[in-house]
């Protein structure tokens, strides 16, 4: 069993029980981690609170240097971290390597920003006394970071880096199924000499440790990434204590393909945007609306491109031109996808590619394209978290925008076109927190990312991401006569 991390020490937790971590490609146990309890959460939060006393007083430059040291260690261990991620998450080596690369890029971004946090000076009217005002920017204290299973490392980085660079301490709760690489990263932070207690990792099930973490009096800020259902639950729990929260939740991003689109580029972009990570992406293009004029040609190109995907073990490369795609992360995730697909077919959708599972072990579903399912089918209404792509034919931009907005979600959206009027309308009228023109959906470290509607609120990435870990405090300095 690999222990969790509290106050710089590995521990098996108060219960002394473990939960298995399984390789989704083989269904075999690869390790176990402690089944955390409320007592462990309390110990971790207390450790983080204690560490905060000194950590908040450190120089931003020193904090940035510690993070740079950790980045160098992550680079040193890149291979090991990549393989660890492949085995616990299921994604292919290329994708896992890409995730580590993105993690490092994001950590660097916040290491660079650490020393750029600025307050302000404000002259004040002298009616009460001769005085001036300052707005100083202070860390909040203990942050609880709850991370999902699809991008365990980048979504760890988007919380840990801004939290620590702003001078907070943190307790991380990785998904129960992807704790191992997170623990390795936590070790590297310790090796880089972040003080004990500044970073803590609680393992176990969200349903068992989540409540204790989110409601703990000493947790000031909750950074949650996960499904909308769990997000709602957590928000309810934290509301009585008025925690500062960011809610990065589910999505069902629409993609619009206009008649003037570069169809080859669109087909490639849509394929990457839907089938990367076996379709388990918050910001994947999950509903495609194609103008009548180019529908047949796009579908043909897309079917050809997606036909190259070959499900298989993440650590074995596919022979070119085949492209490796891994398994779904869990058996539940696979069942959910198959149920959604059946519902799409029941609602008149036609499966033009895939639609079945792969023989043998592993939670595989073959990459699937389904055309024109009913507009009230589950793939249209819900988040489809796997390798199933529904495509609809539309007659004009009004219809495309209306259908794009006909969703409770509002995470991302994209359009393939070179027409400035179409770009302008999509930018302004489609309800989503981030939009791409002629590009697949990708979260840049430099740009604020977060949803509208039931996709949540608050931003990660960018300078805005750091703002969410700081409180603006006004200070009036008077008595200057
Ligand atoms: P999930 O089931 O909502 O779980 C997310 C995290 O919440 C996990 O660590 C989970 O722990 C924990 N959790 C579960 N119940 C909890 C509770 N009662 N209290 C506190 N924590 C609890 O999501 P997932 O299946 O891991 O990830 C997929 C979802 O995340 C999708 O909906 C996807 O769109 C969304 N997502 C959103 C973004 C974004 O930036 N908007 C990015 C990536 C993913 P356990 O694993 O132990 O259950
Ligand atoms: Mg889940």
């Amino acid at each position: 069993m690999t222990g969790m991390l509290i106050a710089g020490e590995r521990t098996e937790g108060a219960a002394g029980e473990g939960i298995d971590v399984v390789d989704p490609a083989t269904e075999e146990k690869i390790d176990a981690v402690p089944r955390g309890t409320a007592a462990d959460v309390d110990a971790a939060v207390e450790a983080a609170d204690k560490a905060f006393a000194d950590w908040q007083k450190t120089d931003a430059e020193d904090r940035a240097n510690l993070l740079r040291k950790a980045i160098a260690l992550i680079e040193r261990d890149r291979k090991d971290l990549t393989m660890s991620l492949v085995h616990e998450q299921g994604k292919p080596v290329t994708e896992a390597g890409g995730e580590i690369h993105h993690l490092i890029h994001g950590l660097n971004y916040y290491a660079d920003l650490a020393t750029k946090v600025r307050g302000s000076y404000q002259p004040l009217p002298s009616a009460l006394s001769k005085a001036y005002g300052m707005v100083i920017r202070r860390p909040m204290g203990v942050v609880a970071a709850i991370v999902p299973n699809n991008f365990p490392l980048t979504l760890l980085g988007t919380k840990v880096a801004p939290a620590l660079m702003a001078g907070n301490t943190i307790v991380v709760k990785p998904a129960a199924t992807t704790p191992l690489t997170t623990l390795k990263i936590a070790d590297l932070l310790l090796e880089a000499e972040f003080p004990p207690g500044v970073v803590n990792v609680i393992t176990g099930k969200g349903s068992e440790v989540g409540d204790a973490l989110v409601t703990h009096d000493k947790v000031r800020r909750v950074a949650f990434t996960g499904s909308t259902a769990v997000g709602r639950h957590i928000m309810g729990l934290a509301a009585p204590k008025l925690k500062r929260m960011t809610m990065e939740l589910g999505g069902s991003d629409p993609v619009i393909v206009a008649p003037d689109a570069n169809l080859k580029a669109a087909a490639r972009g849509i394929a990457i945007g839907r089938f990367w990570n076996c379709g388990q992406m918050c910001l994947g293009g999950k509903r495609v609306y194609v103008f009548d004029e180019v529908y047949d040609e796009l579908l043909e190109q897309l079917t050809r491109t997606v036909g190259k995907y070959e499900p298989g073990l993440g650590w074995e490369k596919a022979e070119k031109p085949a492209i490796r795609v891994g398994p779904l992360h869990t058996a539940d995730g696979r069942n959910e996808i198959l149920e959604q697909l059946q519902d799409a077919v029941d609602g008149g959708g036609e499966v033009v590619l895939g639609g079945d599972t792969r023989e043998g072990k592993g939670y595989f579903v073959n990459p699937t394209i389904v055309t024109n399912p009913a507009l009230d089918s589950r793939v249209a209404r819900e988040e489809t978290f796997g390798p199933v792509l529904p495509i609809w034919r539309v007659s004009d931009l009004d219809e495309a925008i209306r259908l794009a907005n006909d969703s409770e979600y509002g995470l991302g959206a994209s359009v393939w076109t070179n027409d400035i009027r179409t770009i302008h309308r999509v930018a302004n009228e489609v309800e989503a927190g981030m939009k791409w023109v002629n590009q697949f959906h990708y979260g840049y470290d430099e740009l604020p990312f977060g949803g509208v509607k039931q996709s949540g609120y608050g931003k990660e990435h960018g300078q805005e991401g750091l703002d969410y870990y700081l409180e603006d405090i006004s200070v009036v300095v008077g008595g200057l006569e």
Side-chain angles (χ1 to χ4, degrees), residues 19 145-151 154-155 158-159 173-178 203-214 222 224-231 233-234 237 247-252 280-284 286 329-330 383 385 409 411 449-451 455-456 460-461:
I19 42 176
I146 302 177
V147 183
N149 62 45
N150 59 341
F151 291 99
T154 48
L155 295 166
T158 57
K159 296 165 183 60
K173 210 304 275 172
T177 49
T178 53
T203 56
K205 293 186 189 274
S207 53
E208 294 171 5
V209 292
D211 291 19
L213 184 58
V214 170
V222 177
F224 176 76
T225 303
S227 60
T228 296
V230 174
H233 171 75
I234 284 175
L237 286 177
M247 288 280 143
E248 305 288 346
L249 309 181
S252 180
Q280 301 160 111
M281 285 193 295
C282 57
L283 46 59
K286 296 180 182 137
H329 180 59
T330 61
E383 175 171 43
F385 210 61
Y409 294 108
L411 197 55
F449 173 75
S455 291
E460 286 198 332
H461 299 284

Side-chain angles (χ1 to χ4, degrees), residues 69-88:
K69 214 166 137 190
I71 292 166
L73 298 173
I74 292 171
E75 277 168 346
R76 181 197 69 193
D77 289 359
R78 191 192 284 256
K79 263 197 187 143
D80 170 52
L81 295 167
T82 302
M83 290 320 291
S84 166
L85 185 58
V86 168
H87 283 288
E88 69 174 337

